[in-house]
């Protein structure tokens, strides 16, 4: 199931567990936010809104608040000694979509727990110390830089005739 939502003047096609970057939304980290402007709900029986689907909402968990790249607006009028420099960084929120709800249902208050990653297999964990030992052994074989230098030639005085 997917949905098309509108937030911040832009439209996003989302599905459950998608992570999207939207314009800054009000909400603390870990809090559930609702997107009420749902334009399309897709799946087995797609619903198109006119302009929005009645009773449909999309819920998401706020993961992070961040800022975009710096944009510099520099204006110069030549031969007039006139310059203006203005910088700007847009603020974004990173949101993970938790639920797509229809029929006026309310989102759950807490986010569903994320599945934990499986630990590394033992074979890779045992290979790491062996690789470190091999690296240490190869370093021991290399001569020190000071010992590798050739001795300097003795200074000789020039003979006068």
């Amino acid at each position: 199931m997917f949905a098309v939502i509108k937030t911040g003047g832009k439209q996003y096609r989302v599905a459950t567990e998608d992570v999207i970057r939207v314009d800054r939304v009000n909400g603390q980290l870990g809090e559930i936010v609702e997107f009420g402007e749902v334009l399309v709900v897709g799946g087995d029986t797609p619903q198109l809104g006119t302009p929005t689907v009645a009773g449909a909402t999309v819920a998401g968990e706020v993961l992070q608040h961040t800022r975009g790249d710096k944009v510099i607006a520099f204006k110069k009028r030549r031969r007039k000694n006139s310059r203006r420099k203005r910088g700007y960084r847009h603020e974004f929120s990173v949101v993970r979509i938790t639920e797509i709800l229809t029929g006026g249902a309310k989102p759950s208050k807490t986010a569903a727990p994320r599945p934990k990653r499986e630990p590394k297999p033992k074979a890779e964990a045992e290979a790491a110390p062996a690789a470190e030992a091999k690296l240490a052994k190869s370093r021991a074989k290399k001569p020190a830089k000071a010992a590798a230098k050739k001795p300097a030639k003795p200074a000789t005085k020039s003979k006068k005739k």
Side-chain angles (χ1 to χ4, degrees), residues 77-139:
R77 295 167 193 90
R78 61 185 185 161
R79 297 185 302 272
K80 305 282 191 254
N81 195 23
S82 173
R83 293 180 296 228
R84 294 292 174 263
K85 182 177 179 181
R86 181 172 181 258
Y88 175 74
R89 291 182 71 185
H90 196 72
E91 295 187 344
F92 295 101
S93 294
V94 178
V95 177
R96 181 177 57 237
I97 304 301
T98 56
E99 296 174 300
I100 298 173
L101 305 161
T102 56
K106 294 291 180 188
S108 59
K109 295 295 179 191
T110 60
R114 301 271 301 159
K116 303 248 180 193
R117 289 188 176 182
E118 295 178 12
K120 282 187 175 180
K122 299 249 179 184
E124 290 179 16
E126 292 172 1
E132 290 176 16
K134 186 176 180 181
L135 183 63
K137 189 176 180 181
S138 67
R139 285 183 181 160

Side-chain angles (χ1 to χ4, degrees), residues 36-53:
E37 288 190 77
V38 180
L39 307 175
V40 176
V41 175
D44 296 334
T45 58
Q47 298 174 341
L48 299 176
T50 54
T52 60
V53 178

